[in-house]
């Protein structure tokens, strides 16, 4: 079975541009969450979606937005890119949103470089 | 969010056990203790989780202190493939899929 797939794997943008990152969860998983990982640090939570509804948002500016589609895939959008947005963006899917069960399955990430 | 404290790095020899400590003195009664690891150039990978009792699975064992203020992840026989950053995370049962990662412990396995 395919794991969590993300695209693109690498991309380079310039300051002020917009970027869209895509994620396909494992088949049957209805929850998708997004994380940002700056080099040398642990991942930071950005968004969580479950059944196409936003269920949580981390401490990120409004330039970051996301949505989940009827097939449970998801997009993360970042507007007005800043140099500090350079990071690895990770998508994770899970069957449930309960913290007592349900491991998260992470994709390999999309590495964004902002010049 | 409750915080965890882990050593920055640890070294082990191949085929020897590795004990990774984690302190979480402010843990609440509804927090589960989760461990993930991240191999180089990959996304994090689930290892194990528990609430109060010790847990075992094919990857590792989790030993939880009686007062739950600390825990230890045990890799029974380290292999070169176990070289990774290991994250100890507290996850409230109702908090959904928001994981709060700290700096983790970088494990180096020597042949």
């Amino acid at each position: 079975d395919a794991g969590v797939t993300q695209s693109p794997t690498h991309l380079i943008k310039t300051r002020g541009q917009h970027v869209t990152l895509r994620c396909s969860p494992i088949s049957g998983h209805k929850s998708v969450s997004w994380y940002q990982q700056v080099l040398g640090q642990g991942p930071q939570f950005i968004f969580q979606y479950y059944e196409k509804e936003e269920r949580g948002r981390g401490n990120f500016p409004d330039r970051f937005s996301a949505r989940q589609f009827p097939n449970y895939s998801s997009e993360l959008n970042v507007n007005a890119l800043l140099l500090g947005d350079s990071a690895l963006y990770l998508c994770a899917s899970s069957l449930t949103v309960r913290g007592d069960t349900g491991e998260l399955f992470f994709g390999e990430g999309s590495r964004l470089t902002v010049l | 969010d409750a915080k965890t404290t882990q050593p920055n790095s640890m070294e082990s020899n191949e085929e020897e056990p590795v004990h990774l400590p984690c302190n979480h003195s402010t843990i609440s009664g509804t927090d589960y203790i989760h461990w993930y690891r991240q191999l180089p150039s990959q996304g994090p990978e689930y290892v194990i989780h528990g609430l109060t009792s010790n847990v075992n699975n094919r990857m590792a064992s989790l030993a939880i202190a009686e007062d739950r203020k600390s825990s230890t992840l045990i890799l029974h026989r380290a292999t070169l493939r176990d070289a990774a950053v290991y994250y100890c995370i507290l996850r409230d049962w109702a908090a959904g899929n928001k994981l709060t990662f700290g700096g983790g412990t970088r494990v180096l396995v020597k042949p």
Side-chain angles (χ1 to χ4, degrees):
Chain A
D1 286 341
V4 176
T5 57
Q6 294 187 244
S7 62
T9 54
H10 296 81
L11 70 166
I12 299 173
K13 294 284 189 178
T14 56
R15 281 177 296 176
Q17 284 190 313
H18 162 271
V19 69
T20 297
L21 307 177
R22 296 176 176 84
C23 172
S24 293
I26 292 172
S27 177
H29 286 193
K30 298 181 179 179
S31 176
V32 168
S33 48
W34 287 94
Y35 288 78
Q36 179 196 64
Q37 186 171 25
V38 173
L39 197 60
Q41 298 180 18
Q44 275 198 293
F45 172 78
I46 311 175
F47 284 111
Q48 177 195 322
Y49 279 79
Y50 180 69
E51 288 281 18
K52 292 153 281 185
E53 290 187 1
E54 183 181 306
R55 289 293 193 95
R57 173 186 286 253
N59 188 24
F60 280 81
D62 292 342
R63 299 185 295 107
F64 289 76
S65 63
R67 54 180 175 168
Q68 187 176 31
F69 298 100
N71 67 354
Y72 303 110
S73 66
S74 178
E75 279 183 357
L76 175 70
N77 294 283
V78 187
N79 292 324
L81 285 168
L82 304 174
L83 295 180
D85 295 330
S86 296
L88 180 68
Y89 288 85
L90 294 160
C91 173
S93 77
S94 66
L95 274 171
T96 76
V97 292
R98 291 169 60 103
D100 55 343
T101 62
E103 62 187 274
L104 270 65
F105 294 83
F106 284 83
E108 296 196 351
S110 294
R111 182 161 298 283
L112 171 65
T113 301
V114 181
L115 302 177
Chain B
D1 292 327
K3 295 192 181 299
T4 62
T5 304
Q6 301 177 250
N8 288 334
S9 63
M10 293 188 71
E11 286 189 3
S12 175
N13 294 316
E14 199 175 7
E15 298 193 3
E16 289 187 354
V18 182
H19 291 242
L20 301 175
C22 180
N23 287 319
H24 28 79
S25 59
T26 59
I27 190 170
S28 74
T30 55
D31 282 331
Y32 283 75
I33 302 160
H34 286 246
W35 285 81
Y36 281 75
R37 71 179 185 181
Q38 188 170 21
L39 279 65
S41 302
Q42 294 189 25
E45 173 188 33
Y46 168 83
V47 177
I48 200 166
H49 78 281
L51 181 63
T52 57
S53 303
N54 295 343
V55 185
N56 299 293
N57 66 20
R58 63 175 181 81
M59 289 183 69
S61 295
L62 176 60
I64 301 173
E66 196 168 334
D67 64 4
R68 301 211 324 127
K69 292 185 177 181
S70 66
S71 60
T72 302
L73 179 71
I74 303 163
L75 308 178
H76 295 287
R77 290 184 63 195
T79 68
L80 296 178
R81 195 194 172 279
D82 292 322
V85 178
Y86 287 76
Y87 295 99
C88 171
I89 299 165
L90 299 183
R91 185 179 176 193
D92 186 276
W93 77 272
N97 292 338
K98 177 184 179 182
L99 301 182
T100 302
F101 289 81
T105 297
R106 182 172 298 278
V107 172
L108 172 65
V109 180
K110 296 180 290 185

